[in-house]
Every structure is written in C-alpha cells, then in structure tokens.
Amino acid sequence: LRITTPVGFGSTWLTERLGEFIDRYPDIQISIVVSEDELDVSMREADVAVRIGKPTQPDLVQRKLVTMSHAVYASPTYLHEYGTPHSYRDLDNHRLLAFDETLHPPFSNINWLLEAGRRDGTRRKPVLRVNNVYGIFRAAVAGLGIASLPEYMGRASRDLVPIMPEAEGPSYELYLVYPEELRNSKRIGVFRDFIVRKIGEMRL
C-alpha cells in the first residue's frame, strides 16, 4: 500500500499511529511518500493520498477527513527565556519562525503571524524561514522561536506549549483520495477506516 501525504502530516501524525495498523494488518506492506509535491494518484504513483484542500480530479474517490486550523506554539525553553506573548503587539518583541516564500500551500496567508495585529501593512521580520512545516516544527521544539503550526502537530508534541489561544490562524481541509478503480480494494478500505477512526479520536 503506497501512501503519499503532506510533509507535516506524514512526518508526525500518521507515522506515529501506523504501529497499530501494522499490528492489525501484518500482511499489508506500507510505503509512505512524504512530499510537498502531489503525486499523481490517477496514474498510480501512489495508491492513496492525503491532500490539503479539495482535489479537482473527477476520477478520484474523495473522503473529507477533517478541517484543520493553525495555532500559535512555542517551547517551554523559549518561553522561559523570552517570556510569553499575550497579544499581537507583544509579538513585535519576540522571535518568529516563518515559512519560506517559495512554499505555496493551497491556502492563503501561511505567514499570518508576521502581520497579525498590524494595520499599516508592514510585516515583522522572522529570525528563521523554512520551506516545510516539519522544519518549522523542529525549529520551534528546539526553542528557536514562536511558530504557527497545524493543531495536530502542536497537540501531539510534549515539547510545545499553545499560546495566544484567541489568535485565529488559517484553516484548511484534509481529504483522503484514491483512484476510482480501487474503490473496492480491501487494502484501501481498511486503511480508510483506520485513518477516519484515528482522526475521530484526535478530534475528541
């Protein structure tokens, strides 16, 4: 079973939960391709894909998994050294982590923290830019600064603390997709049911 996922989802949330699936279905061999680029599922570059945003291909079976939001996180080490911001104005005096401008996610304003609360159109300068969400996650865990991260990444980490709970970051939908010709595949079916159940547990 060849699965392709976005970098953050595949690097953290999915891989950390696959042990249960492997124990339950030992005969299914799994290959995960974690990539910022979308593999062509229709051309069988992967059997199943987790996608950010609703896919446009008409020949794919689509299952919406969940709506995800970004929230603000920092490590306890960072907060101990630099203090905890409580408002957007406080961010002016903090170290911010940002996504590299070459990253083009399928939702707007990924670097919203750089301009949040500012009405003059200016942007704060980040101390570090990284071109994928897992890199931002690791930098935040290392105490390099404050980051906007998907909630599933922040919740799963014991090394990050949610801050500024009133701040509203961008949100997006996650979809599970696979080719129409695999609609009745038992391998696809058990994986689909597994990931839907696990995401349901996460939401609870």
Side-chain angles (χ1 to χ4, degrees), residues 2-11 32-40 45-46 49-52 103 106 131-134:
R2 186 173 171 85
I3 306 162
T4 179
T5 82
V7 169
F9 189 84
S11 301
I32 298 181
V33 180
V34 179
S35 176
E36 296 288 2
D37 300 321
E38 290 189 355
L39 272 66
D40 192 336
E45 291 182 343
V50 177
R51 294 274 172 82
I52 297 176
L103 183 66
N131 71 343
N132 68 65
V133 67
Y134 187 67

Side-chain angles (χ1 to χ4, degrees), residues 7-8 11-12 36 99 130 132-139 153:
V7 169
S11 301
T12 55
E36 296 288 2
F99 294 88
V130 187
N132 68 65
V133 67
Y134 187 67
I136 294 285
F137 170 79
R138 295 307 310 172
M153 296 185 79

Side-chain angles (χ1 to χ4, degrees), residues 53-114:
K54 185 175 177 60
T56 57
Q57 299 97 315
D59 57 341
L60 296 180
V61 179
Q62 305 177 10
R63 172 71 181 265
K64 179 182 173 181
L65 296 174
V66 68
T67 298
M68 284 291 180
S69 297
H70 271 233
V72 189
Y73 295 92
S75 72
T77 301
Y78 175 88
L79 297 176
H80 177 75
E81 184 170 355
Y82 296 100
T84 302
H86 298 286
S87 68
Y88 289 136
R89 180 175 294 181
D90 291 344
L91 292 179
D92 294 346
N93 301 311
H94 279 271
R95 298 183 175 189
L96 302 182
L97 306 174
F99 294 88
D100 190 85
E101 301 295 346
T102 59
L103 183 66
H104 300 290
F107 54 93
S108 62
N109 206 13
I110 185 66
N111 281 326
W112 63 286
L113 275 184
L114 300 184

Side-chain angles (χ1 to χ4, degrees), residues 1-4 31 33 38-49 51 57 59-60 177-185 187-188:
L1 182 63
R2 186 173 171 85
I3 306 162
T4 179
S31 174
V33 180
E38 290 189 355
L39 272 66
D40 192 336
V41 180
S42 298
M43 298 300 293
R44 300 299 298 276
E45 291 182 343
D47 299 313
V48 61
R51 294 274 172 82
Q57 299 97 315
D59 57 341
L60 296 180
V177 302
Y178 48 92
E180 177 67 35
E181 63 194 78
L182 295 180
R183 178 184 289 273
N184 298 319
S185 166
R187 293 183 306 150
I188 298 292

Side-chain angles (χ1 to χ4, degrees), residues 155 197-204:
R155 290 177 186 173
R197 178 168 58 83
K198 284 300 179 182
I199 284 183
E201 293 173 359
M202 176 187 67
R203 297 175 68 182
L204 292 175

